[in-house]
Amino acid sequence: MAANRVWTVFLTVLLGGLLPAAHTVQNVHPMVGMLFVHELDPAYFQKALPPTFNNYRISPTAPMTFHANLEGHPDLPRWLRYTQRTPYQSGYLYGSPTLSEMGRQIIEVTAYNRDTYDTLRQSFNFNINSRKDSHLPYQVELFVKNRDVEELLPATVQEQFQNALDNIWNLARLTIVNITSALDRGGRVPLPIEGRKEGVYVKVGADVPFPTCLREIQSSINQNRCRVEQQPPLPCYDSFLPTFKIDWCNITLIDKSTTEAPIEDPFIGDGVMESGSEFNPPEDSEDLDFLPDYLLTTLLPLLIALLLALLLSYIMCCRREGLEKRDAQTSDIQMVHHHSILANTDELREMAKGRDVPRPLSTLPMFNVRTGERTSPMPRHHDTSRVPLILAQK
Ligand SMILES: *[C@@H]1O[C@H](CO)[C@@H](O)[C@H](O)[C@H]1NC(C)=O
Ligand SMILES: *[C@@H]1O[C@H](CO)[C@@H](O)[C@H](O)[C@H]1NC(C)=O
């Protein structure tokens, strides 16, 4: 009985250690050219934590933060962004994939419980596809002044926004294409005063031309009003109020109907191999010819080396005589020099003999410079007392 209990505890500890590392995988299907939003709910991750950790009696509102990255990479792919206002609120993965991002991407999300330091990792299989009717040539970008980006990401708020625009753009099939925080466009973080928000850019697309109401805002009269910081009067009823405050000066209409032909049939699924299939390299590639390269890199230097060797041997063997001749010439010149030096010396000696001048005093022996007295270098003999005895007896 006791052994059984120990075994149970062991298993619980083992599973508790393993479970946080275990992945749960979820599939999501973003569409090209449409806004994709995935909410990371702290309550959901709290429940997903292994049961052993419920022993801590965690409050249901434990703060949680998230980190998201592309599998095998430190960060998210370019089209996908992550935001979370505070650890008590939901985090959001959102973005708008383009055609080049089509295919499969695996996003890893790690949730950190800020109270218990538990972590949980979850993988998301992003299967990015494109729809045939995803071509939305008429797009409008609106700037919502009184919202932060997280406040527009929940599906219900998005629907509210779409309904408001629907009232202006009658009978249109509207799709939210992109949502961008004003901070991502060089906007400033607002002062921490109640009611101040960063602002959000919302891009909406439709396949029906713009209503006159929207087009008239861009008239020159209204643009001049905007220049003096006056909001132009909307020619139709502003159905966004009071929930969303739109900056009617900052509205961009993008008409792609004339410049861009609708994408006929996007090539789906290429680039991702089906499981079990093999890669067959193309066989019709032509053979490369390396002969000219070979000749250039080996034969050309060899040829130059041979030429140089021939030139050198010709100089060494056949031009030898010429060198000897030159040697003889130089020695002749040297002999002439030698003779002239000898002759000059003799001449100088002859001239010196003929001089009839007394020798300079300084050259005479024992000359005293101060008194002018000359003494013979020979010893004096009159003072015998200083002469050694043997010498004096002589
Ligand atoms: C969506 O907005 C972001 C930020 O402005 C931009 O980088 C991205 O290219 C946009 N995507 C599309 C599909 O317009
Ligand atoms: C309008 O939006 C652009 C960026 O799209 C921004 O540079 C500009 O300052 C905005 N103008 C006003 C009046 O808000």
Side-chain angles (χ1 to χ4, degrees):
M1 194 66 200
N4 211 351
R5 203 176 164 150
V6 166
W7 186 235
T8 314
V9 168
F10 173 71
L11 256 188
T12 315
V13 169
L14 188 75
L15 279 180
L18 284 180
L19 272 176
H23 281 210
T24 47
V25 180
Q26 203 178 327
N27 282 306
V28 287
H29 302 274
M31 286 287 167
V32 167
M34 275 176 68
L35 181 75
F36 163 83
V37 179
H38 183 83
E39 185 178 349
L40 302 168
D41 185 4
Y44 166 79
F45 279 88
Q46 192 111 48
K47 274 193 218 127
L49 281 173
T52 38
F53 293 102
N54 282 340
N55 298 344
Y56 298 129
R57 270 186 274 126
I58 309 159
S59 65
T61 53
M64 260 209 193
T65 55
F66 303 93
H67 175 82
N69 63 283
L70 183 64
E71 188 186 46
H73 294 78
D75 213 340
L76 286 171
R78 192 175 300 169
W79 68 273
L80 194 62
R81 281 158 285 159
Y82 165 75
T83 181
Q84 186 189 21
R85 183 88 0 190
T86 69
Y88 293 96
Q89 287 166 299
S90 291
Y92 289 96
L93 286 171
Y94 69 103
S96 179
T98 55
L99 266 181
S100 58
E101 267 113 13
M102 239 161 57
R104 209 166 70 110
Q105 290 180 340
I106 296 177
I107 306 291
E108 293 176 333
V109 173
T110 314
Y112 302 88
N113 185 324
R114 287 289 161 198
D115 278 346
T116 61
Y117 302 105
D118 290 335
T119 60
L120 180 76
R121 179 168 289 175
Q122 183 162 28
S123 288
F124 289 92
N125 254 338
F126 277 64
N127 301 299
I128 304 170
N129 274 317
S130 88
R131 278 196 328 212
K132 265 200 173 158
D133 55 349
S134 67
H135 184 58
L136 304 166
Y138 302 100
Q139 302 190 342
V140 59
E141 191 166 52
L142 301 170
F143 181 57
V144 186
K145 288 189 285 188
N146 64 335
R147 293 286 148 159
D148 284 336
V149 66
E150 297 91 356
E151 294 172 328
L152 260 165
L153 290 176
T156 49
V157 186
Q158 279 187 49
E159 212 172 295
Q160 216 179 333
F161 188 89
Q162 252 171 304
N163 286 340
L165 188 59
D166 230 356
N167 285 338
I168 296 176
W169 204 336
N170 289 319
L171 298 170
R173 189 176 57 81
L174 296 174
T175 309
I176 294 191
V177 175
N178 210 351
I179 286 186
T180 313
S181 165
L183 298 184
D184 293 342
R185 296 261 187 101
R188 289 194 193 172
V189 177
L191 291 173
I193 298 172
E194 190 69 30
R196 292 232 181 175
K197 299 293 167 93
E198 298 154 6
V200 191
Y201 289 92
V202 184
K203 200 189 235 178
V204 184
D207 47 8
V208 177
F210 303 114
T212 44
C213 173
L214 285 184
R215 259 185 277 127
E216 263 175 45
I217 298 169
Q218 297 212 313
S219 68
S220 55
I221 302 164
N222 283 333
Q223 289 304 306
N224 283 337
R225 276 173 183 247
C226 285
R227 235 162 268 140
V228 295
E229 310 209 342
Q230 237 181 355
Q231 282 288 321
L234 197 63
C236 47
Y237 175 67
D238 190 347
S239 47
F240 285 101
L241 286 174
T243 326
F244 306 105
K245 273 195 193 124
I246 306 289
D247 182 355
W248 289 112
C249 278
N250 213 336
I251 157 170
T252 323
L253 301 182
I254 307 152
D255 186 353
K256 291 181 182 169
S257 57
T258 48
T259 55
E260 207 180 68
I263 311 153
E264 296 287 277
D265 199 358
F267 198 52
I268 303 174
D270 198 40
V272 180
M273 280 181 63
E274 284 157 31
S275 57
S277 61
E278 275 177 30
F279 175 65
N280 291 319
E283 278 159 17
D284 56 346
S285 63
E286 47 181 282
D287 294 338
L288 288 176
D289 187 11
F290 289 113
L291 188 65
D293 290 348
Y294 167 74
L295 292 182
L296 198 71
T297 48
T298 48
L299 280 196
L300 190 69
L302 260 179
L303 215 69
I304 292 173
L306 200 70
L307 267 179
L308 284 177
L310 282 178
L311 191 70
L312 205 64
S313 39
Y314 166 70
I315 291 170
M316 292 304 285
C317 306
C318 316
R319 302 272 300 170
R320 192 94 196 143
E321 200 183 312
L323 288 175
E324 272 163 8
K325 244 184 238 164
R326 203 180 304 155
D327 278 352
Q329 275 174 5
T330 3
S331 63
D332 278 354
I333 293 167
Q334 276 171 356
M335 284 304 281
V336 171
H337 267 271
H338 188 66
H339 280 299
S340 66
I341 289 168
L342 271 185
N344 288 346
T345 328
D346 283 344
E347 196 184 347
L348 278 173
R349 285 211 182 110
E350 286 303 313
M351 282 163 73
K353 264 187 216 160
R355 273 195 302 211
D356 209 10
V357 186
R359 289 173 70 186
L361 288 180
S362 59
T363 60
L364 288 175
M366 305 305 275
F367 172 70
N368 189 324
V369 184
R370 250 184 308 123
T371 57
E373 185 194 1
R374 288 180 213 177
T375 41
S376 163
M378 297 305 290
R380 294 180 189 174
H381 291 283
H382 56 268
D383 187 3
T384 50
S385 63
R386 302 214 174 168
V387 180
L389 204 60
I390 295 165
L391 256 180
Q393 282 170 354
K394 227 172 40 177

